[in-house]
Amino acid sequence: MQVDDHRVRHPLGELFARSWTPPGPAAGAPIVLLHDSLGCVELWRDFPPALAQATGRRVVAYDRLGFGRSQARTDRLAPDFIAEEARRFFPVVLERLGIEGFVAFGHSVGGGMAVNCAAEWSGRCEALVTESAQAFVEDRTVQGLRAARREFQQPGQLERLARYHGDQAAWVLEAWLGTWLSPAFAGWSLAEALPRVRCPVLALHGADDEYGSARHPEAIGRLAAGPTRIELLPQTGHVPHRERPAEVLGRVAGWLAAAAADS
Protein backbone atom coordinates (compact mmCIF):
# COMPACT_ATOMS: atom_id res chain seq x y z
CA MET A 1 0.00 0.00 0.00
CA GLN A 2 1.43 3.34 -1.07
CA VAL A 3 0.66 6.21 1.31
CA ASP A 4 1.26 9.82 0.23
CA ASP A 5 0.72 13.11 2.05
CA HIS A 6 -0.24 16.22 0.10
CA ARG A 7 -0.46 19.96 0.74
CA VAL A 8 -3.28 21.48 -1.28
CA ARG A 9 -3.00 25.21 -1.92
CA HIS A 10 -6.28 27.09 -1.75
CA PRO A 11 -6.85 30.87 -1.86
CA LEU A 12 -8.36 30.73 1.65
CA GLY A 13 -5.64 28.52 3.18
CA GLU A 14 -3.63 25.35 2.71
CA LEU A 15 -5.34 21.96 3.12
CA PHE A 16 -3.77 18.70 4.24
CA ALA A 17 -4.63 15.51 2.34
CA ARG A 18 -3.49 11.90 2.37
CA SER A 19 -3.96 9.16 -0.22
CA TRP A 20 -3.75 5.37 -0.03
CA THR A 21 -3.09 3.50 -3.26
CA PRO A 22 -3.30 -0.31 -3.29
CA PRO A 23 -0.89 -2.27 -5.49
CA GLY A 24 -1.93 -3.31 -8.97
CA PRO A 25 -4.27 -1.68 -11.49
CA ALA A 26 -7.07 0.45 -10.03
CA ALA A 27 -10.50 -1.21 -9.87
CA GLY A 28 -12.27 2.09 -10.51
CA ALA A 29 -12.35 5.80 -9.75
CA PRO A 30 -10.75 7.04 -6.51
CA ILE A 31 -12.88 7.31 -3.37
CA VAL A 32 -12.75 10.73 -1.71
CA LEU A 33 -13.63 10.76 2.01
CA LEU A 34 -15.34 13.74 3.66
CA HIS A 35 -15.07 13.73 7.44
CA ASP A 36 -17.60 14.52 10.17
CA SER A 37 -17.95 17.69 12.25
CA LEU A 38 -15.12 16.88 14.67
CA GLY A 39 -13.13 14.77 12.23
CA CYS A 40 -9.91 14.93 10.26
CA VAL A 41 -7.68 12.57 8.30
CA GLU A 42 -6.19 11.03 11.45
CA LEU A 43 -9.60 10.31 12.96
CA TRP A 44 -10.50 8.03 10.04
CA ARG A 45 -7.82 5.83 11.67
CA ASP A 46 -7.28 2.57 9.78
CA PHE A 47 -10.48 2.77 7.72
CA PRO A 48 -9.00 4.44 4.57
CA PRO A 49 -6.27 1.82 3.91
CA ALA A 50 -8.76 -0.96 4.70
CA LEU A 51 -11.21 0.60 2.23
CA ALA A 52 -8.50 0.85 -0.43
CA GLN A 53 -7.61 -2.79 0.13
CA ALA A 54 -11.23 -3.96 0.05
CA THR A 55 -12.18 -2.04 -3.10
CA GLY A 56 -8.91 -2.00 -5.04
CA ARG A 57 -9.34 1.77 -5.44
CA ARG A 58 -7.22 4.73 -4.45
CA VAL A 59 -8.68 6.42 -1.36
CA VAL A 60 -8.15 10.11 -0.59
CA ALA A 61 -9.03 11.96 2.63
CA TYR A 62 -8.45 15.61 3.43
CA ASP A 63 -8.80 17.93 6.41
CA ARG A 64 -11.29 20.69 5.79
CA LEU A 65 -10.01 24.23 6.33
CA GLY A 66 -9.70 24.80 10.09
CA PHE A 67 -9.50 21.08 10.92
CA GLY A 68 -6.62 18.71 11.64
CA ARG A 69 -3.45 19.70 9.81
CA SER A 70 -5.10 22.18 7.45
CA GLN A 71 -4.61 25.90 7.94
CA ALA A 72 -6.48 27.54 10.82
CA ARG A 73 -9.52 29.72 10.36
CA THR A 74 -11.26 32.13 12.71
CA ASP A 75 -14.49 32.98 10.90
CA ARG A 76 -17.89 31.51 11.72
CA LEU A 77 -19.27 28.91 9.34
CA ALA A 78 -21.99 30.26 7.09
CA PRO A 79 -25.38 28.49 7.14
CA ASP A 80 -24.63 27.13 3.65
CA PHE A 81 -21.19 25.75 4.63
CA ILE A 82 -22.16 22.21 3.56
CA ALA A 83 -22.90 23.23 -0.02
CA GLU A 84 -19.95 25.66 0.07
CA GLU A 85 -17.53 22.79 0.68
CA ALA A 86 -18.62 21.20 -2.60
CA ARG A 87 -18.33 24.44 -4.54
CA ARG A 88 -15.18 26.05 -3.15
CA PHE A 89 -12.88 23.43 -1.65
CA PHE A 90 -13.65 19.99 -3.05
CA PRO A 91 -12.86 20.84 -6.70
CA VAL A 92 -9.47 22.26 -5.69
CA VAL A 93 -8.61 18.98 -3.95
CA LEU A 94 -9.60 17.07 -7.09
CA GLU A 95 -7.51 19.34 -9.31
CA ARG A 96 -4.38 19.30 -7.15
CA LEU A 97 -4.48 15.50 -6.76
CA GLY A 98 -5.19 14.85 -10.44
CA ILE A 99 -8.62 13.25 -9.91
CA GLU A 100 -11.19 13.27 -12.72
CA GLY A 101 -13.97 10.77 -11.99
CA PHE A 102 -14.54 10.03 -8.31
CA VAL A 103 -16.67 8.26 -5.72
CA ALA A 104 -17.84 10.58 -2.92
CA PHE A 105 -17.99 8.99 0.55
CA GLY A 106 -19.05 11.14 3.50
CA HIS A 107 -19.67 10.49 7.18
CA SER A 108 -22.24 12.53 9.17
CA VAL A 109 -22.03 16.16 7.97
CA GLY A 110 -19.46 14.87 5.49
CA GLY A 111 -22.31 12.80 4.06
CA GLY A 112 -24.24 15.98 3.36
CA MET A 113 -21.14 17.42 1.76
CA ALA A 114 -20.72 14.27 -0.33
CA VAL A 115 -24.32 14.68 -1.54
CA ASN A 116 -23.55 18.24 -2.59
CA CYS A 117 -20.31 17.11 -4.30
CA ALA A 118 -22.27 14.49 -6.26
CA ALA A 119 -24.86 17.12 -7.21
CA GLU A 120 -22.41 19.90 -8.06
CA TRP A 121 -20.06 17.64 -10.05
CA SER A 122 -22.60 15.14 -11.37
CA GLY A 123 -20.70 14.58 -14.61
CA ARG A 124 -17.66 13.35 -12.67
CA CYS A 125 -19.22 11.58 -9.67
CA GLU A 126 -19.56 7.88 -10.46
CA ALA A 127 -21.11 6.83 -7.14
CA LEU A 128 -22.07 8.26 -3.75
CA VAL A 129 -21.83 6.63 -0.32
CA THR A 130 -23.38 8.37 2.67
CA GLU A 131 -22.74 7.09 6.19
CA SER A 132 -24.87 8.44 9.05
CA ALA A 133 -25.67 11.51 6.94
CA GLN A 134 -28.18 14.06 8.17
CA ALA A 135 -30.63 15.14 5.48
CA PHE A 136 -32.27 17.82 7.65
CA VAL A 137 -32.29 18.97 11.27
CA GLU A 138 -34.65 16.83 13.35
CA ASP A 139 -35.40 16.74 17.07
CA ARG A 140 -33.08 13.76 17.62
CA THR A 141 -30.26 15.71 15.99
CA VAL A 142 -30.77 18.66 18.32
CA GLN A 143 -31.05 16.42 21.39
CA GLY A 144 -27.80 14.65 20.45
CA LEU A 145 -26.03 17.98 19.96
CA ARG A 146 -27.18 19.29 23.34
CA ALA A 147 -26.00 16.09 25.01
CA ALA A 148 -22.62 16.48 23.27
CA ARG A 149 -22.35 20.08 24.50
CA ARG A 150 -22.86 18.90 28.09
CA GLU A 151 -20.26 16.17 27.60
CA PHE A 152 -17.68 18.61 26.25
CA GLN A 153 -18.12 20.78 29.32
CA GLN A 154 -16.52 17.99 31.38
CA PRO A 155 -12.82 18.30 32.29
CA GLY A 156 -10.39 16.95 29.70
CA GLN A 157 -12.81 16.72 26.78
CA LEU A 158 -11.50 19.73 24.87
CA GLU A 159 -7.92 18.56 25.46
CA ARG A 160 -8.83 15.22 23.91
CA LEU A 161 -10.05 17.04 20.81
CA ALA A 162 -6.87 19.14 20.77
CA ARG A 163 -4.82 15.98 20.14
CA TYR A 164 -6.14 16.07 16.58
CA HIS A 165 -6.88 19.77 15.99
CA GLY A 166 -4.28 21.54 18.16
CA ASP A 167 -5.05 25.16 18.95
CA GLN A 168 -8.08 24.96 16.65
CA ALA A 169 -9.96 22.58 18.99
CA ALA A 170 -12.25 25.24 20.48
CA TRP A 171 -13.00 26.61 17.00
CA VAL A 172 -13.80 23.11 15.70
CA LEU A 173 -16.19 22.45 18.59
CA GLU A 174 -18.01 25.75 18.13
CA ALA A 175 -18.13 25.24 14.35
CA TRP A 176 -20.10 22.06 15.07
CA LEU A 177 -22.33 22.90 18.03
CA GLY A 178 -22.71 26.62 17.43
CA THR A 179 -23.63 26.15 13.77
CA TRP A 180 -26.01 23.21 14.12
CA LEU A 181 -27.81 24.67 17.15
CA SER A 182 -28.16 28.11 15.57
CA PRO A 183 -31.72 29.20 14.69
CA ALA A 184 -30.36 30.25 11.28
CA PHE A 185 -29.51 26.62 10.54
CA ALA A 186 -32.77 25.05 11.74
CA GLY A 187 -34.32 24.98 8.26
CA TRP A 188 -31.32 23.44 6.50
CA SER A 189 -31.84 20.30 4.42
CA LEU A 190 -30.52 18.37 1.42
CA ALA A 191 -33.83 18.77 -0.42
CA GLU A 192 -32.36 21.05 -3.09
CA ALA A 193 -29.21 19.02 -3.73
CA LEU A 194 -30.56 15.45 -3.77
CA PRO A 195 -32.65 15.72 -6.98
CA ARG A 196 -29.43 16.70 -8.79
CA VAL A 197 -27.67 13.47 -7.70
CA ARG A 198 -27.89 11.19 -10.72
CA CYS A 199 -25.29 8.54 -9.82
CA PRO A 200 -25.96 5.34 -7.82
CA VAL A 201 -26.28 5.99 -4.08
CA LEU A 202 -25.58 3.76 -1.07
CA ALA A 203 -27.03 5.21 2.16
CA LEU A 204 -25.65 3.52 5.29
CA HIS A 205 -27.22 4.36 8.64
CA GLY A 206 -27.10 2.92 12.14
CA ALA A 207 -30.48 1.97 13.58
CA ASP A 208 -29.39 3.44 16.92
CA ASP A 209 -27.77 6.61 15.54
CA GLU A 210 -27.96 9.20 18.29
CA TYR A 211 -27.90 12.11 15.81
CA GLY A 212 -30.54 11.01 13.34
CA SER A 213 -33.34 8.51 12.79
CA ALA A 214 -33.99 6.32 9.76
CA ARG A 215 -35.88 9.26 8.27
CA HIS A 216 -32.54 10.57 6.98
CA PRO A 217 -31.56 7.68 4.68
CA GLU A 218 -35.24 7.41 3.72
CA ALA A 219 -35.15 11.04 2.59
CA ILE A 220 -31.97 10.40 0.63
CA GLY A 221 -33.58 7.43 -1.09
CA ARG A 222 -36.80 9.31 -1.83
CA LEU A 223 -35.22 12.49 -3.21
CA ALA A 224 -32.07 11.35 -5.03
CA ALA A 225 -32.48 11.06 -8.78
CA GLY A 226 -30.10 8.10 -9.05
CA PRO A 227 -30.80 4.52 -7.97
CA THR A 228 -30.47 4.31 -4.20
CA ARG A 229 -29.85 1.42 -1.84
CA ILE A 230 -30.56 1.98 1.86
CA GLU A 231 -28.72 -0.16 4.43
CA LEU A 232 -29.96 0.21 8.01
CA LEU A 233 -27.45 -1.44 10.32
CA PRO A 234 -28.96 -2.97 13.47
CA GLN A 235 -27.50 -2.23 16.91
CA THR A 236 -25.25 0.44 15.40
CA GLY A 237 -24.78 4.07 16.39
CA HIS A 238 -23.40 7.11 14.61
CA VAL A 239 -20.03 5.71 13.49
CA PRO A 240 -20.64 2.40 11.65
CA HIS A 241 -17.17 2.31 10.09
CA ARG A 242 -15.71 2.19 13.61
CA GLU A 243 -18.42 0.07 15.24
CA ARG A 244 -18.81 -2.49 12.42
CA PRO A 245 -15.76 -2.01 10.17
CA ALA A 246 -15.80 -5.42 8.47
CA GLU A 247 -19.50 -5.15 7.68
CA VAL A 248 -19.20 -1.61 6.32
CA LEU A 249 -16.18 -2.52 4.19
CA GLY A 250 -17.93 -5.58 2.81
CA ARG A 251 -21.12 -3.73 1.96
CA VAL A 252 -19.34 -0.79 0.33
CA ALA A 253 -16.93 -2.95 -1.67
CA GLY A 254 -19.69 -5.28 -2.88
CA TRP A 255 -22.01 -2.43 -3.81
CA LEU A 256 -19.29 -0.52 -5.69
CA ALA A 257 -18.33 -3.64 -7.66
CA ALA A 258 -21.97 -4.24 -8.60
CA ALA A 259 -22.51 -0.59 -9.51
CA ALA A 260 -19.40 -0.62 -11.73
CA ALA A 261 -20.60 -3.79 -13.46
CA ASP A 262 -23.99 -2.21 -14.19
CA SER A 263 -22.58 1.01 -15.59
Side-chain angles (χ1 to χ4, degrees):
M1 181 77 64
Q2 180 177 328
V3 181
D4 297 294
D5 287 350
H6 312 271
R7 305 304 305 192
V8 177
R9 292 182 179 178
H10 188 280
L12 296 178
E14 192 174 69
L15 307 177
F16 171 77
R18 179 172 291 162
S19 60
W20 296 261
T21 307
I31 301 170
V32 183
L33 301 176
L34 293 116
H35 63 73
D36 66 305
S37 292
L38 300 183
C40 61
V41 170
E42 294 295 342
L43 279 168
W44 284 106
R45 298 179 181 167
D46 60 353
F47 182 70
L51 183 62
Q53 190 67 45
T55 61
R57 297 168 182 254
R58 182 187 182 197
V59 172
V60 172
Y62 73 97
D63 294 339
R64 299 201 304 273
L65 190 67
F67 296 78
R69 300 187 199 180
S70 288
Q71 192 166 323
R73 62 189 296 180
T74 57
D75 58 322
R76 293 180 63 88
L77 294 183
D80 69 340
F81 77 100
I82 293 173
E84 181 187 52
E85 188 68 29
R87 293 193 306 265
R88 301 186 69 180
F89 295 96
F90 186 77
V92 177
V93 174
L94 297 184
E95 179 185 356
R96 297 293 189 269
L97 272 64
I99 298 172
E100 292 296 330
F102 63 89
V103 173
F105 184 131
H107 172 237
S108 191
V109 72
M113 291 173 176
V115 167
N116 276 273
C117 290
E120 192 74 21
W121 308 100
S122 59
R124 297 168 65 178
C125 186
E126 298 183 8
L128 166 65
V129 181
T130 66
E131 181 193 11
S132 309
Q134 297 92 7
F136 55 95
V137 181
E138 71 170 340
D139 288 344
R140 184 187 295 194
T141 312
V142 173
Q143 291 167 6
L145 291 164
R146 288 174 176 164
R149 171 164 279 175
R150 290 192 296 270
E151 181 179 345
F152 271 98
Q153 289 172 347
Q154 301 302 313
Q157 292 300 310
L158 190 61
E159 288 76 11
R160 182 167 59 89
L161 195 62
R163 294 207 304 264
Y164 301 97
H165 300 288
D167 294 340
Q168 282 287 104
W171 181 91
V172 167
L173 186 61
E174 180 59 22
W176 176 38
L177 297 175
T179 303
W180 278 82
L181 291 173
S182 167
F185 195 71
W188 169 85
S189 79
L190 293 175
E192 187 277 330
L194 281 164
R196 296 187 289 124
V197 175
R198 298 196 294 268
C199 64
V201 181
L202 174 63
L204 299 171
H205 204 88
D208 301 327
D209 189 329
E210 58 271 37
Y211 294 104
S213 70
R215 292 172 61 200
H216 295 275
E218 290 166 0
I220 292 171
R222 183 176 67 254
L223 296 175
T228 304
R229 180 173 176 177
I230 297 172
E231 297 276 1
L232 197 62
L233 306 177
Q235 298 180 319
T236 307
H238 189 60
V239 195
H241 70 267
R242 193 175 303 160
E243 299 170 52
R244 295 178 176 268
E247 188 171 351
V248 169
L249 288 168
R251 291 184 188 224
V252 172
W255 178 81
L256 280 175
D262 292 340
S263 62

